[in-house]
Amino acid sequence: MTKNKGLASFCCLIYAFLYLPLAVMFVFSFNDARRNVVWKGFTFKWYGSLFHNAELLSALVTTLELAIAASLFASVLGLFASYAMTRHAPFKGRGVYASLMSVPLMMPEVVMGVGLLSFFVRAHIPLNFWTLAGAHAMIALPYTASSIRARLLSLKDSRLEDAAMDLGATEWEAFYKVTLPLAGPAIFSGALLAFTVSFEDFVTSFFIAGIGIVTMPIKIYSMMKFGVTPEINALACCLLLLTVVLLASQKLLVRKDATS
Amino acid sequence: MRTIIAAPEDSALKETSSVERALSWLVRGKDPRASHAMLIPATLWLLCFLLLPVASLLAMSLATRGPYSSVIWTFTWANFARALDHKYLVIVLRTVGYALSTTGLCLILGFPMAYFLSFYAGKRRETLMILLMIPFWTSCLVAIYSWIIILGRAGLLNNTLLWLGVIKTPLLILNTPFSVILGLVYFYLPFMILPLFSSLEKIPRTYIEASYDLGAGTIETFVKVTLPLALPGVFAGCILTFVPCIGDFLTAEFLGGPKTYLIGNLVQNQFLMAQDWPFGAAVTSVLLLSLISGVYLYQRLESQELERA
């Protein structure tokens, strides 16, 4: 393909636009000033005070626990659902299930948030860690399902299970000794996506996190709302690093999966 | 299921137990009942965490507000009448206007970008895609905070312009419709680029070469071959951008002012501050119904357009 200078510079501008806030955040995380607009000097103290902020650390632990629970639920549900959708003989109602599974992507989060809040409160279901984890799993389900579905479809052509069954394995043995290990990386990469979805989620948690459950985004929200502290930038840089690591490992998994 | 997975695996004698026969039936999937059984967990999950909550919201929108955020179950249309009252209709129309402008801007900015990534990026494509994903996965609260630093009255942008001598007094940029739409475009641009990119990727390059071979120019090839084949991506991108824009409330809360109040803010306020849940539910229902009808009309349009192409 030929080069296109105009388009390339346009894209550079878009990338600059996308990275401008991240760059500002990074630079200002070293700013030695309480008011965040003027540059006063270089400091590491905000990073230092992050690790002594007990509230922040406990919010981090809660967010991690939540993300682990949600990604576990979402990957198990996504595995069963996408297995039936891709590997089973076509059955009546498959289209209905398929569109049902994509509903969470088509629903503004604020609608899910207030819906869950009013439903749980009216049905006298306590708002606790598990209801929040369940809601996060629901939001993440389309991500895990599509990741696993892609892998199961590509495995379908390899007919390795047929070979296993020709060699005397039952269907179940072929599933958990052949299919499951081969789909493993895709399941894990779907789980990483779900983890990220849950980790970043603010809107749903904002509405249905019960009293006493403070996740990282909720903590950041209240820091922004009541009393700005420059710690936010330092915190955001750490979170960004975590996100990059998660995404990079997910990408690596997908690539390894494609080459194997 | 876990305990079953941990069941003894040495079935060397091929004495298949009934548990294993049942599992094999489930995995084999020749019987539609097995397929339904495997889809039950996800369906139940979506029922409990999505469908029932939304249904309860629709039901509540027809009830009356009681004291202390309680709900009295009497049938009334009053909440809807109030939600479509001129005072709130302005907010609804503003939200739709902002969402449409954001979608349009994202399409204008995102299409050239997706086109470049798909046709010209070459070896660097994968790196560029990852670079695109990083802002997309960054917490939007954090990005909002940075935009406040940039756009504020004594912010970076104003300071730079003052220093350059372009302006004499700081401009009011934050808390205007401009800053809200800028924030929305920032957050939802990747939602537009990704589907556009994947539909451009699916276009067989031989079609484009054939068009050139048959004497069409660059522009003619783009308009008559590339663009029609990329339409599914355009439609998907527009929906994926429009839907979250309609429900957004964080952007308007931090980057906007009283004049940029959106439906999302109204809903949040009714549920968490005013404690008028039935009215909040009615506003949410209006939001949801307009969204569903919009998406439905759009899909009709899409299928017509695709048939023509």
Side-chain angles (χ1 to χ4, degrees):
Chain A
M1 282 271 161
T2 49
K3 289 267 176 270
N4 192 327
K5 283 266 166 59
L7 259 185
S9 35
F10 179 81
C11 285
C12 287
L13 282 179
I14 300 274
Y15 273 110
F17 171 63
L18 289 175
Y19 276 87
L20 177 66
L22 303 188
V24 168
M25 174 188 97
F26 181 72
V27 171
F28 276 76
S29 69
F30 300 106
N31 185 14
D32 192 3
R34 283 216 73 81
R35 295 245 319 132
N36 232 326
V37 219
V38 233
W39 180 260
K40 283 273 172 61
F42 186 87
T43 179
F44 270 119
K45 71 176 175 198
W46 306 123
Y47 285 92
S49 66
L50 273 188
F51 294 100
H52 295 105
N53 190 331
E55 276 179 41
L56 269 183
L57 291 178
S58 90
L60 179 65
V61 172
T62 312
T63 316
L64 288 174
E65 286 171 351
L66 206 57
I68 290 169
S71 53
L72 272 179
F73 291 151
S75 15
V76 172
L77 293 171
L79 173 64
F80 288 157
S82 45
Y83 189 87
M85 304 278 275
T86 54
R87 310 304 292 270
H88 282 183
F91 56 96
K92 238 184 173 174
R94 196 161 73 169
V96 180
Y97 285 115
S99 33
L100 183 67
M101 301 270 271
S102 64
V103 174
L105 286 179
M106 302 291 291
M107 191 76 79
E109 260 205 277
V110 68
V111 176
M112 298 197 273
V114 295
L116 285 162
L117 174 70
S118 53
F119 175 64
F120 286 150
V121 170
R122 291 294 143 222
H124 300 288
I125 298 168
L127 296 171
N128 58 22
F129 179 86
W130 295 108
T131 44
L132 187 54
H136 279 184
M138 178 272 292
I139 298 170
L141 181 59
Y143 295 88
T144 54
S146 73
S147 164
I148 299 170
R149 183 161 54 226
R151 181 61 175 157
L152 287 178
L153 275 176
S154 72
L155 279 178
K156 201 173 187 175
D157 304 326
S158 73
R159 314 189 74 84
L160 282 168
E161 289 153 330
D162 292 349
M165 285 189 287
D166 285 346
L167 295 171
T170 62
E171 272 105 347
W172 171 245
E173 281 173 324
F175 172 74
Y176 88 94
K177 286 188 178 162
V178 178
T179 316
L180 211 51
L182 284 173
I187 297 170
F188 191 66
S189 94
L192 277 179
L193 279 183
F195 186 93
T196 321
V197 168
S198 164
F199 197 83
E200 304 288 351
D201 179 83
F202 168 73
V203 177
T204 307
S205 317
F206 181 57
F207 284 104
I208 62 162
I211 305 155
I213 299 179
V214 181
T215 68
M216 207 59 150
I218 293 179
K219 184 73 195 151
I220 296 177
Y221 177 84
S222 60
M223 280 164 85
M224 279 167 70
K225 204 77 187 158
F226 315 102
V228 173
T229 63
E231 276 179 353
I232 292 186
N233 284 320
L235 176 63
C237 285
C238 298
L239 292 183
L240 182 67
L241 191 69
L242 187 73
T243 314
V244 171
V245 169
L246 280 176
L247 272 183
S249 38
Q250 198 260 347
K251 281 274 169 210
L252 279 179
L253 270 177
V254 171
R255 194 185 306 171
K256 233 173 98 185
D257 218 18
T259 50
S260 71
Chain B
M1 286 308 268
R2 296 276 171 65
T3 48
I4 299 168
I5 291 169
E9 47 178 274
D10 54 333
S11 50
L13 295 169
K14 282 289 130 216
E15 270 183 23
T16 46
S17 64
S18 60
V19 174
E20 189 157 346
R21 271 205 302 279
L23 287 173
S24 286
W25 169 81
L26 207 59
V27 172
R28 189 184 310 128
K30 293 273 189 281
D31 189 344
R33 278 175 301 173
S35 311
H36 290 298
M38 277 193 111
L39 280 157
I40 278 177
T43 310
L44 275 181
W45 208 277
L46 288 172
L47 191 73
C48 290
F49 286 98
L50 187 68
L51 300 182
L52 284 178
V54 171
S56 84
L57 209 58
L58 293 178
M60 193 185 281
S61 67
L62 298 169
T64 317
R65 175 193 190 175
Y68 306 112
S69 82
S70 61
V71 175
I72 300 163
W73 295 99
T74 47
F75 182 85
T76 171
W77 290 105
N79 295 312
F80 280 96
R82 200 175 142 209
L84 296 173
D85 180 272
H86 66 277
K87 193 167 124 202
Y88 296 110
L89 196 61
V90 177
I91 298 175
V92 174
L93 294 177
R94 182 189 295 140
T95 310
V96 173
Y98 281 21
L100 285 176
S101 346
T102 305
T103 312
L105 279 170
C106 284
L107 187 61
I108 292 168
L109 297 174
F111 198 94
M113 178 102 172
Y115 190 78
F116 177 82
L117 285 173
S118 176
F119 284 87
Y120 295 103
K123 271 186 229 153
R124 265 168 290 164
R125 180 195 331 219
E126 208 154 323
T127 324
L128 288 173
M129 285 309 285
I130 295 175
L131 281 178
L132 191 64
M133 295 302 285
I134 289 169
F136 174 69
W137 283 113
T138 310
S139 157
C140 56
L141 283 159
V142 166
I144 285 177
Y145 188 71
S146 288
W147 279 117
I148 295 175
I149 298 179
I150 297 168
L151 299 175
R153 199 171 165 76
L156 290 180
L157 185 59
N158 267 326
N159 278 346
T160 316
L161 289 177
L162 282 171
W163 183 71
L164 288 173
V166 182
I167 50 167
K168 291 274 180 291
T169 48
L171 296 172
L172 183 68
I173 310 171
L174 200 62
N175 307 333
T176 59
F178 172 77
S179 60
V180 177
I181 292 180
L182 182 128
L184 290 172
V185 169
Y186 180 82
F187 296 126
Y188 300 118
L189 189 57
F191 286 79
M192 179 66 88
I193 295 176
L194 293 176
L196 280 176
F197 174 78
S198 64
S199 79
L200 285 171
E201 280 292 278
K202 284 192 196 119
I203 300 176
R205 297 303 188 258
T206 46
Y207 287 17
I208 291 159
E209 277 160 32
S211 164
Y212 284 130
D213 288 348
L214 294 171
T218 320
I219 295 171
E220 203 180 356
T221 304
F222 178 77
V223 174
K224 289 196 173 154
V225 181
T226 317
L227 197 59
L229 288 171
L231 273 183
V234 173
F235 285 114
C238 285
I239 288 186
L240 285 178
T241 315
F242 186 75
V243 170
C245 269
I246 281 280
D248 188 277
F249 71 90
L250 275 176
T251 315
E253 184 173 342
F254 285 104
L255 298 180
K259 283 190 180 158
T260 59
Y261 206 65
L262 301 181
I263 303 183
N265 302 89
L266 183 61
V267 169
Q268 185 223 345
N269 199 344
Q270 291 305 318
F271 273 91
L272 299 181
M273 305 289 172
Q275 297 286 0
D276 190 347
W277 287 21
F279 178 59
V283 175
T284 317
S285 308
V286 169
L287 188 156
L288 202 57
L289 293 178
S290 50
L291 206 60
I292 291 169
S293 48
V295 170
Y296 175 74
L297 280 179
Y298 204 67
Q299 273 171 346
R300 286 281 300 274
L301 190 84
E302 179 189 5
S303 51
Q304 276 172 17
E305 197 70 22
L306 288 179
E307 265 167 39
R308 235 186 36 187

